Amino acid sequence: MKSKFFAKIFGLVCMMLAAVTFNAAAGATLAVAVGCAPGAGAVAGNVLALVGGRLAPAGVLRAGVFTEIWTGEMIKAFRTTPEALGWMQRIRSYNQYVNQDVIHFVAIGGDPNVLVNNITYPLAITALTDADKPISLDKFSTEATPVTKDEVHASSYDKMASVLERHRDALREKIAQRGIHAIAPDENATDIPVIKTTGASDGTRKKMTFADLLNLKRQFDKMGIPGKDRVLVLCSDHVNDLLETEQKFKEHYNINQTDGKICRMYGFDIYEYDGTPYYNMSTGKKLAWGAVPAATDARASVAFYAGRMMKAYGSTEFYHSEASKDPLYHRSLVNFDQYGICLPLSSTKCRAAIVSTKVSA
């Protein structure tokens, strides 16, 4: 009897150790995939499993462990900006103001009139009525990715970590593209300049030059934009134009790429990003979000004052169907919803664009 008792205890201990080992391995693997320390991931995996009651031997390989870890790691990793999006890191985060994926701003109701040497009484009464201005975050959804049971077993859960990483990167890239599109002016207007390039022709368009960059500085100066935190996001066409023609720009390029920043010139911190919006080169008008560009369109460069921009990330939702409930394909389906937004806080005197000028045939 004693031998059976101790054998049972030994079996339970072994299963418990197996559960701990699995949770630690899963947590460490996912942590590495999203850029976190593996040790922290291993601890997080067991803590989450313990809190959820999943450290018990029965059903050690439960999908619920992954669900908790994936969602938590996704939220943490999503707020770490990669090198290519260094320009977005310059924008202030309003995450702390998000409530149910909505941010409530206060629309200030004007200023009081100021009287000089007044001798008329009683004084007039001017009401200053403020109002709530809610802004709903956009919802970004990834399409479902199938992960078969055979893939999971063959790759020791690396497949799952890879899926998480690719969904995260795809969401972050789409939110950045949506953000820079919202920041860019629709067309040239008072205190929202859209500057046309003036360089030599490449057969299709005029190239960007330092004279165009100087013109951008002049426009920002005219609008009274503070000299600090002026940011210019160059599209790849304009980067290549400057590399071809401007030796000073060529010397700076590749010196500092740790945060995606090329250099600081003419008062602008200059970044490169190939997700800027398209403009019609003839009319100088921005294409609508999601519109398919034509041969007459080209990516533009976008400039903004970081002090009048905002970004925010809201809730993250993880969706998962288990392979064990799919008798036909034996596959899991996974995808995410991520709420986020990036916008200018005011419409004028804080942004501009540089658009290539179309060359007539």
Side-chain angles (χ1 to χ4, degrees):
M1 292 293 293
K2 287 185 177 181
S3 60
K4 290 183 179 180
F5 174 77
F6 285 115
K8 186 176 181 179
I9 294 297
F10 179 75
L12 289 172
V13 171
C14 289
M15 293 183 71
M16 186 70 74
L17 290 175
V20 172
T21 302
F22 170 78
N23 292 330
T29 300
L30 291 172
V32 171
V34 298
C36 299
V43 173
N46 280 293
V47 169
L48 288 172
L50 182 60
V51 170
R54 304 186 188 279
L55 205 59
V60 168
L61 302 182
R62 293 179 182 176
V65 175
F66 278 117
T67 302
E68 293 161 351
I69 295 176
W70 282 4
T71 304
E73 293 295 342
M74 185 75 163
I75 292 171
K76 287 190 294 183
F78 202 84
R79 286 157 172 74
T80 305
T81 303
E83 293 177 6
L85 299 180
W87 60 269
M88 201 169 182
Q89 190 75 346
R90 300 291 301 276
I91 298 174
R92 180 186 172 186
S93 172
Y94 280 69
N95 291 343
Q96 67 271 30
Y97 302 111
V98 177
N99 183 14
Q100 298 296 319
D101 295 316
V102 175
I103 296 180
H104 292 268
F105 288 98
V106 177
I108 303 300
D111 297 319
N113 294 325
V114 178
L115 307 177
V116 180
N117 297 327
N118 176 70
I119 58 173
T120 303
Y121 296 93
L123 295 176
I125 299 175
T126 303
L128 304 180
T129 305
D130 299 338
D132 179 50
K133 184 180 179 181
I135 296 179
S136 297
L137 274 60
D138 293 323
K139 182 175 76 171
F140 298 84
S141 304
T142 56
E143 294 181 347
T145 299
V147 183
T148 67
K149 195 171 182 180
D150 291 338
E151 287 176 315
V152 172
H153 282 287
S155 59
S156 300
Y157 301 99
D158 287 344
K159 173 69 176 182
M160 291 293 196
S162 176
V163 167
L164 170 68
E165 184 176 16
R166 281 177 282 175
H167 278 251
R168 178 204 67 198
D169 291 344
L171 283 166
R172 185 157 49 191
E173 176 65 19
K174 187 63 67 174
I175 291 176
Q177 290 177 3
R178 175 78 165 169
I180 198 70
H181 185 277
I183 291 172
D186 291 333
E187 59 183 319
N188 187 57
T190 303
D191 292 330
I192 319 175
V194 174
I195 298 168
K196 303 297 287 288
T197 57
T198 58
S201 170
D202 68 354
T204 302
R205 61 181 184 84
K206 292 184 179 180
K207 297 180 179 180
M208 182 180 176
T209 68
F210 269 9
D212 302 325
L213 183 56
L214 182 57
N215 187 12
L216 178 66
K217 178 186 181 302
R218 185 175 290 111
Q219 295 297 327
F220 268 48
D221 293 343
K222 187 186 302 182
M223 291 186 289
I225 296 175
K228 184 181 178 182
D229 290 331
R230 294 182 180 184
V231 176
L232 172 60
V233 184
L234 291 176
C235 66
S236 58
D237 282 342
H238 292 166
V239 168
N240 293 335
D241 292 343
L242 295 176
L243 287 174
E244 285 180 0
T245 60
E246 307 293 348
Q247 181 62 34
K248 185 183 296 185
F249 186 81
K250 187 183 298 184
E251 292 171 356
H252 283 283
Y253 194 78
N254 281 336
I255 292 178
N256 175 23
Q257 290 291 318
T258 57
D259 57 358
K261 182 178 175 181
I262 297 175
C263 61
R264 180 174 176 82
M265 287 186 173
Y266 295 169
F268 290 92
D269 292 322
I270 301 178
Y271 296 82
E272 180 178 6
Y273 178 54
D274 204 25
T276 55
Y278 281 89
Y279 279 72
N280 182 287
M281 290 188 288
S282 298
T283 65
K285 293 185 177 182
K286 181 177 67 176
L287 270 65
W289 171 253
V292 178
T296 54
D297 305 321
R299 289 195 186 276
S301 296
V302 180
F304 60 86
Y305 170 52
R308 293 181 192 153
M309 303 293 144
M310 64 81 64
K311 66 179 179 184
Y313 298 125
S315 61
T316 301
E317 294 289 339
F318 168 61
Y319 300 93
H320 177 219
S321 64
E322 297 183 33
S324 62
K325 297 179 181 179
D326 183 0
L328 294 180
Y329 300 102
H330 297 179
R331 68 183 181 185
S332 297
L333 291 175
V334 296
N335 70 325
F336 286 89
D337 280 348
Q338 175 67 55
Y339 286 82
I341 201 166
C342 180
L343 290 170
L345 291 171
S346 60
S347 60
T348 61
K349 296 185 177 181
C350 62
R351 58 204 178 113
I354 301 177
V355 179
S356 295
T357 303
K358 183 172 175 54
V359 176
S360 302

